[in-house]
Amino acid sequence: MSYGVQPPAKKPSSLPKIATIICSVLAVIFLLVSATMYVSARSKAQEIEDMRAEIQSADAKTVEIDSKITSTREQIAEAGAKKDAQEWCNDVTRENSDLDKLRSQGNALKSMKQPTRDAVQKLCPEKKSFAEAFAKDAKKGMVGPESIQCLIDGNTMTFSATIKIDAPSVLALGDMDVTVEAFAADHPITDSDTSIGSTVVTVSSSGTGPLSVTLPGSGNETDCALKPVRMWPTGL
């Protein structure tokens, strides 16, 4: 009988367990990293989307502001045009219808910007039509007396004549009232002489109108003259 000694049994290796733990830890870390990256990516995407929305909102506000600026500018321009037009309309009146003045008013109308002319058309269309017609027909001798006669009777003098308008565009608007100044002196009439009175003659659309007026004088007059100084549409 032999007595032998058995060697002690080997303990299982702990390496697989460590490896499993390590793999599990790594897996957890990977999952955490992946989750973090996913959350970060979604956050970044949301950030980009928010920025895009902000940019679109800013663009919309910019368009709105530009629209308001444009509207304000248009309102300012419209108000300015209306103001200039009103001033022109106020200046064109029967009392202010000297022939030279009408010529300058017509030229002012021609030089206006279109918005101002449009405003004039709305505010005083008849005055605009008259000024345009006058400017179109304006020339030397467009209105004047014909067949002048002067009759002295004591201290009065009676003037007779025919007032003629040579202005087709003006006469197309209808009858015209022409203010005529009368001159009388004991010498040839010059530009330095002062009128002794005036009268208004209605010239029909045919182009002529009769003048007859009696004015006080000295009785010593040897010369007389008539000078049209103003013109205005009858009834305006």
Side-chain angles (χ1 to χ4, degrees):
M1 171 182 266
S2 68
Y3 297 93
V5 178
Q6 292 183 349
K10 292 183 178 179
K11 293 182 179 179
S13 174
S14 60
L15 287 176
K17 186 181 290 185
I18 293 172
T20 299
I21 293 171
I22 292 173
C23 287
S24 297
V25 171
L26 289 175
V28 171
I29 292 173
F30 177 76
L31 286 173
L32 288 173
V33 170
S34 297
T36 301
M37 291 178 65
Y38 175 75
V39 171
S40 177
R42 280 186 62 84
S43 177
K44 199 69 178 175
Q46 186 61 46
E47 222 177 284
I48 293 171
E49 191 63 31
D50 291 344
M51 287 178 65
R52 185 181 289 115
E54 286 180 9
I55 290 171
Q56 290 176 344
S57 177
D59 288 343
K61 287 181 179 178
T62 299
V63 170
E64 183 182 355
I65 290 171
D66 287 345
S67 177
K68 287 182 178 179
I69 290 173
T70 300
S71 177
T72 301
R73 284 175 177 169
E74 289 174 352
Q75 290 175 9
I76 292 172
E78 184 179 350
K82 187 175 180 180
K83 176 178 176 292
D84 293 342
Q86 189 64 66
E87 288 178 356
W88 186 89
C89 289
N90 292 343
D91 188 50
V92 181
T93 63
R94 176 181 291 271
E95 295 73 24
N96 202 23
S97 62
D98 292 5
L99 300 181
D100 290 339
K101 183 70 173 179
L102 287 174
R103 195 173 288 111
S104 67
Q105 289 166 338
N107 291 333
L109 185 62
K110 282 182 182 178
S111 64
M112 285 179 184
K113 293 180 179 179
Q114 191 60 47
T116 307
R117 278 200 299 273
D118 292 342
V120 169
Q121 179 63 34
K122 290 180 180 179
L123 293 170
C124 55
E126 292 178 325
K127 291 182 179 182
K128 178 175 179 288
S129 296
F130 174 56
E132 288 174 335
F134 189 93
K136 183 177 180 180
D137 291 341
K139 61 185 176 182
K140 186 176 181 181
M142 71 178 291
V143 54
E146 292 183 343
S147 306
I148 301 175
Q149 291 183 349
C150 301
L151 179 62
I152 297 176
D153 183 9
N155 291 330
T156 64
M157 178 175 281
T158 299
F159 294 78
S160 300
T162 296
I163 302 301
K164 181 178 180 180
I165 295 177
D166 182 13
S169 299
V170 169
L171 293 174
L173 299 176
D175 297 353
M176 294 288 147
D177 292 339
V178 179
T179 300
V180 182
E181 289 187 346
F183 297 84
D186 58 1
H187 56 264
I189 305 298
T190 66
D191 290 341
S192 61
D193 285 306
T194 302
S195 71
I196 63 171
S198 65
T199 187
V200 176
V201 178
T202 297
V203 177
S204 71
S205 57
S206 65
T208 60
L211 178 150
S212 180
V213 62
T214 299
L215 297 169
S218 66
N220 298 320
E221 291 83 5
T222 57
D223 291 78
C224 64
L226 294 170
K227 180 183 179 182
V229 292
R230 287 189 292 277
M231 183 192 299
W232 192 252
T234 304
L236 178 60

